[in-house]
Amino acid sequence: MTDQVATRRAVEPGEESGGRGLIVALALLALALLLAIVQSGAPAPKGADAPAAEFSAGRAREILSDLVGDGVPHPTGSPANAKVREKILSRLRGLGYVPEVQEAFSCTQPGDCARVSNVLARLPGREPGKSVLLMAHYDSVAAGPGASDDVSGVAAILEVARILKAGPPPRHGVLLLLDDGEELGLLGARAFIEQSPAADEVAAVVNLEARGSSGPSLMFETSGSDAWLVSRYAAGAPRPFTSSLFSAIYDLMPNDTDLTVFKQRNVPGLNFAFIDGPSHYHTTLDNLESSSPGSLQHHGDNALAAVRGIAEANLDAPPQGRAVFFDLFHAVVVRWPAGFSPVLGLLALLLTIAAAVIARRRGLATWSSVVLGLLVPLAALILTLILVLGLLRLLTGAFPSPWVARPLPATAVFWLISLAASLFVAGLLGRRSSPAGLWAGVWIFWSLAGLLLGFFMPGASYLFLVPALIAGLCGLALGGRAGGSTIPSILPVFVAALLWFPTLRALYLGLGLQGLGVTGLLLSFIFSALAPLVRPSGSLGRRWVPIAAGAAAVLCVVLAMVSPPFSPQSPRPLVMQLYKNADSGEARWVVRAGMALPPAMRKVADFGQQPGPAYPWSPPRSRSFVAPAPALDAPAPELAVLEDSVADGKRHLRLRLTSPRGAANGTLVIPAEARVESVKIEGQTVSMDRRQVGPGGMGWRQFTNHTLSPAGAEYEIVLGATQPLDWHVFDRSLGLPPSGQAMAAARPKDAVPFQDGDGTVVSRKVKI
């Protein structure tokens, strides 16, 4: 049968309206984007005079201010860390709790170890048995005071602890864990679950985190059988902001929080964080002034609702099963069992195919036109991918940081280029099809995508399933006449935008410029769903809208390129170290500053033009700016061999690493040729399940004690090789010596220390 639908077919309802359908659809998409932006903020904070039974950001803010104090960083093992811990203990005692401190030495799998001090308190329930764990970490990175990450979580928990203590006891008990060492590799959480007897009580976990300094508190991750947890949280949360998509995406990322430790053991849990202001994360700007009272309010509301709901459940025999879920306008959480998604996908597919069959019988479409409709989303995705890759290469080459001071032009580029590419493809393929055929093909594609996701990634399936189901129902209701500029062509696209746009906004906050690239690709699915409206719109949809969107995208590219990438409020990370090689006596500046070194710093020292390796154990492709530095009068770390023997072809070593200058961080750097088989640091075994061979995989293994005592740290190491080899040892202390004042003063105002902050490093080579 030949395709003659373009020359003789029934006129579809509304097709004669020309471009009005496309204009209405674009207006509704703009409305959906506006709603996503308007609703993206945190709720208004409640004052200190709020009712005692309600969470108050005003009261929690007073706690936060006290804990942050003078804004000094408080990494694990530091005196400032101990000071924060004592304040936490004092406040818990003042609320009537009897807190205890768990002292433990803990190690990560790569080999980062520290002595941690966890604070644990217990609120008994009406019934014995399991408990719900509410947790946050109180340590900070060395670069900043950690007001948002994660002292805000601690302050929220202390306010929740007051409310729970004053109210009637819950059905099951609540454990409060304010743990240490999260920033070093979840060390406090590891120590708790591996060494604390209280860990056996935990039936579910609620964790509070932050990856920025503002924005709504997002429930972004679940663990274990989460369906019942989501239901309990949704029933009590006054403003839920969540989606199973966030959890599905987070599972694919390398990021970890304290919940990871429980997730690895399949303990059910919920994870909350706010992520706006990502350039403040792990910097000096993570301070009290930058932290948002509204975010603190939302954090506390979420924690209180989740803990209250979970504590009233049957924790001794909780329901099993995972859920697909998403919130609607932060008012209600829609959810269904994850196993239903394939069924819903099959239903959507049957509905859309049935509508296509009816359209064909009425002469509104042919199978070839349906196939063209199926190809539209794929072709739009491919074209958008090509453009996105080019844009990312251009923008990431210009910006040395994933987040920029003015992200609006860059954000608009990817939205506009996706719109232009998708409508161009729709206009090109739509010339040989009918609106009904395009409609059927597009929504069959969406149904197939939802069906596949239902099997392989159910947490993301709702994004396709809900619009496809609505489209299928509309198609049947109109007897296959759902193309053209009719409302049934517009409605599913509008619903898709309402579901997708709040999530897409969060991708930049979480992933930076790469997240904008993902946004552009995902938007191609929504914009290509406008294909049935393009042909009836004539040259408006086929030509003028794509041209206008493309021209606007070019303008936004120019604006993005000329806009300052950083500002004092949205700075770039810049870390400097004064490094001494004790073997040669040479001292040098080592600066990690992205792609370009600030000119003011070049005036202080003779930096080379191109970055390169900084240390003897650095990978050849590492990028640090290096310059000669004033001589540093600091003794090198010492490594004493206490025992050295060979048995069964293995070399057994017992070593002691000390820092004569009193540095808190000591590291062994072992060459790959040594074939490390097992390591114990201070008697704690370092797991070797996931072998990581040095920085960048370039032949070195590092084992670090981040809380090195004056007496040093003892290492027990078994090697597969017995021959002598050159190792390196280094110690690191926080901050620069007085000779570094001029270099620190040269740091521009739009740059700040990040993560471990500025430091002083001394190394030596040892023959072992």
Side-chain angles (χ1 to χ4, degrees):
M1 177 179 178
T2 58
D3 184 0
Q4 299 179 1
V5 84
T7 58
R8 56 173 184 84
R9 58 179 174 80
V11 178
E12 297 186 37
E15 187 175 341
E16 66 281 356
S17 61
R20 283 182 292 176
L22 181 61
I23 293 173
V24 170
L26 292 175
L28 288 175
L29 292 182
L31 175 62
L33 178 58
L34 179 62
L35 290 173
I37 295 172
V38 169
Q39 295 181 337
S40 64
K46 295 180 182 179
D49 57 350
E54 298 179 4
F55 186 93
S56 161
R59 290 188 287 261
R61 182 87 173 173
E62 293 176 1
I63 300 171
L64 176 61
S65 178
D66 177 51
L67 295 179
V68 173
D70 54 5
V72 174
H74 52 280
T76 297
S78 66
N81 180 270
K83 187 176 180 180
V84 171
R85 180 170 60 252
E86 287 304 317
K87 290 180 179 180
I88 293 171
L89 291 167
S90 176
R91 286 190 172 273
L92 286 170
R93 294 185 185 112
L95 294 173
Y97 289 87
V98 183
E100 57 187 83
V101 178
Q102 177 200 9
E103 300 282 356
F105 193 82
S106 181
C107 293
T108 67
Q109 287 178 330
D112 288 286
C113 304
R115 185 162 299 280
V116 296
S117 302
N118 294 334
V119 176
L120 182 68
R122 180 179 285 101
L123 178 73
R126 303 190 304 272
E127 299 179 8
K130 296 289 187 176
S131 300
V132 54
L133 180 71
L134 175 60
M135 66 185 302
H137 69 90
Y138 70 86
D139 63 306
S140 76
V141 296
S148 294
D149 178 26
D150 190 26
V151 183
S152 62
V154 175
I157 287 178
L158 291 174
E159 168 67 356
V160 169
R162 179 197 63 78
I163 297 170
L164 294 176
K165 190 71 172 178
R171 176 183 176 183
H172 288 281
V174 177
L175 293 173
L176 306 175
L177 176 62
L178 307 171
D179 67 281
D180 193 9
E182 191 272 351
E183 300 293 3
L184 298 177
L186 322 180
L187 296 181
R190 294 180 192 275
F192 172 78
I193 203 167
E194 294 172 357
Q195 303 177 40
S196 174
D200 293 334
E201 300 178 31
V202 177
V205 180
V206 176
N207 186 55
L208 301 185
E209 258 291 357
R211 202 178 183 278
S213 58
S214 60
S217 175
L218 168 66
M219 200 276 278
F220 70 98
E221 183 186 18
T222 65
S223 66
S225 295
D226 61 8
W228 68 282
L229 292 177
V230 174
S231 296
R232 290 284 172 170
Y233 157 67
R239 196 172 183 270
F241 184 19
T242 187
S243 161
S244 54
L245 172 67
F246 292 128
S247 187
I249 292 175
Y250 199 78
D251 286 343
L252 302 176
M253 297 174 63
N255 304 58
D256 290 317
T257 70
D258 279 334
L259 184 64
T260 303
V261 177
F262 297 87
K263 194 172 187 176
Q264 291 168 346
R265 291 161 175 78
N266 208 34
V267 178
L270 303 177
N271 213 354
F272 297 87
F274 45 89
I275 62 175
D276 283 31
S279 58
H280 296 170
Y281 175 66
H282 283 185
T283 73
T284 53
L285 289 185
D286 186 6
N287 52 34
L288 184 65
E289 293 72 22
S290 298
S291 65
S292 165
S295 300
L296 183 57
Q297 179 68 49
H298 205 192
H299 235 20
D301 287 340
N302 282 334
L304 184 59
V307 169
R308 277 177 167 169
I310 296 171
E312 295 301 321
N314 181 7
L315 297 186
D316 295 316
Q320 299 300 301
R322 296 186 64 82
V324 175
F325 55 92
F326 56 92
D327 74 270
L328 281 179
F329 307 109
H330 308 321
V332 63
V333 177
V334 179
R335 54 196 182 275
W336 62 75
F340 281 15
S341 285
V343 178
L344 294 175
L346 182 60
L347 176 60
L349 183 60
L350 292 174
L351 289 173
T352 50
I353 290 176
V357 170
I358 295 173
R360 180 178 177 274
R361 288 179 177 177
R362 293 191 171 188
L364 300 172
T366 63
W367 290 126
S368 60
S369 66
V370 173
V371 171
L372 284 174
L374 270 168
L375 292 176
V376 167
L378 288 173
L381 177 64
I382 292 171
L383 179 57
T384 304
L385 175 62
I386 295 171
L387 296 173
V388 161
L389 291 177
L391 286 170
L392 283 178
R393 185 171 183 177
L394 176 66
L395 294 177
T396 55
F399 302 144
S401 173
W403 295 277
V404 295
R406 297 178 178 88
L408 182 58
T411 302
V413 167
F414 289 92
W415 284 70
L416 291 167
I417 206 67
S418 183
L419 175 62
S422 300
L423 293 190
F424 171 78
V425 168
L428 189 65
L429 296 181
R431 291 179 178 180
R432 303 184 60 186
S433 182
S434 65
L438 289 174
W439 179 93
V442 164
W443 292 109
I444 287 173
F445 176 92
W446 277 65
S447 301
L448 286 170
L451 177 62
L452 291 174
L453 287 171
F455 281 110
F456 300 108
M457 196 178 183
S461 62
Y462 75 90
L463 293 173
F464 289 89
L465 289 179
V466 174
L469 285 168
I470 292 174
L473 291 172
C474 288
L476 285 184
L478 288 180
R481 297 180 297 175
S485 57
T486 58
I487 292 298
S489 249
I490 299 172
L491 180 60
V493 179
F494 181 52
V495 170
L498 292 175
L499 294 178
W500 288 50
F501 286 2
T503 302
L504 296 181
R505 179 187 176 274
L507 288 180
Y508 169 74
L509 297 173
L511 303 175
L513 292 174
Q514 300 294 334
L516 292 181
V518 176
T519 298
L521 296 178
L522 294 176
L523 283 170
S524 70
F525 293 119
I526 290 183
F527 293 144
S528 63
L530 299 173
L533 304 172
V534 172
R535 175 168 177 166
S537 70
S539 61
L540 176 68
R542 291 197 305 266
R543 182 181 306 165
W544 297 118
V545 173
I547 290 175
V554 171
L555 176 61
C556 288
V557 168
V558 174
L559 291 175
M561 297 293 289
V562 301
S563 296
F566 308 110
S567 70
Q569 293 74 38
S570 183
R572 60 169 164 164
L574 190 153
V575 178
M576 61 184 75
Q577 291 182 346
L578 182 56
Y579 166 57
K580 175 184 177 181
N581 185 327
D583 300 311
S584 64
E586 174 194 10
R588 62 174 66 171
W589 295 113
V590 177
V591 178
R592 298 196 304 274
M595 300 181 64
L597 190 70
M601 301 185 77
R602 291 190 178 277
K603 295 180 180 179
V604 178
D606 185 19
F607 286 94
Q609 293 301 313
Q610 297 297 325
Y615 310 106
W617 55 89
S618 294
R621 295 185 180 181
S622 64
R623 297 175 60 87
S624 297
F625 290 95
V626 178
L632 178 65
D633 183 16
E638 297 177 354
L639 186 64
V641 179
L642 306 180
E643 293 181 10
D644 185 354
S645 62
V646 176
D648 299 325
K650 312 290 183 184
R651 191 178 183 190
H652 297 258
L653 294 167
R654 189 163 66 88
L655 312 169
R656 178 168 294 278
L657 175 64
T658 56
S659 172
R661 66 189 186 93
N665 178 303
T667 301
L668 292 185
V669 186
I670 305 177
E673 294 84 356
R675 304 207 308 271
V676 179
E677 297 194 358
S678 69
V679 175
K680 287 185 178 180
I681 304 179
E682 295 290 87
Q684 182 69 32
T685 299
V686 177
S687 174
M688 306 295 284
D689 293 339
R690 297 186 301 179
R691 295 180 181 270
Q692 297 187 1
V693 183
M698 297 304 297
W700 299 95
R701 285 295 308 263
Q702 294 190 14
F703 299 94
T704 302
N705 185 340
H706 293 272
T707 50
L708 196 64
S709 70
E714 188 169 297
Y715 290 70
E716 299 174 62
I717 303 175
V718 177
L719 305 177
T722 59
Q723 73 272 23
L725 292 168
D726 288 332
W727 295 16
H728 294 278
V729 295
F730 69 85
D731 59 13
R732 183 181 187 277
S733 56
L734 302 181
L736 300 174
S739 60
Q741 291 181 358
M743 184 63 70
R747 190 192 330 252
K749 293 182 179 180
D750 64 355
V752 291
F754 175 75
Q755 197 73 28
D756 294 333
D758 298 340
T760 303
V761 176
V762 181
S763 79
R764 74 186 313 168
K765 183 166 64 176
V766 293
K767 179 74 74 174
I768 297 293

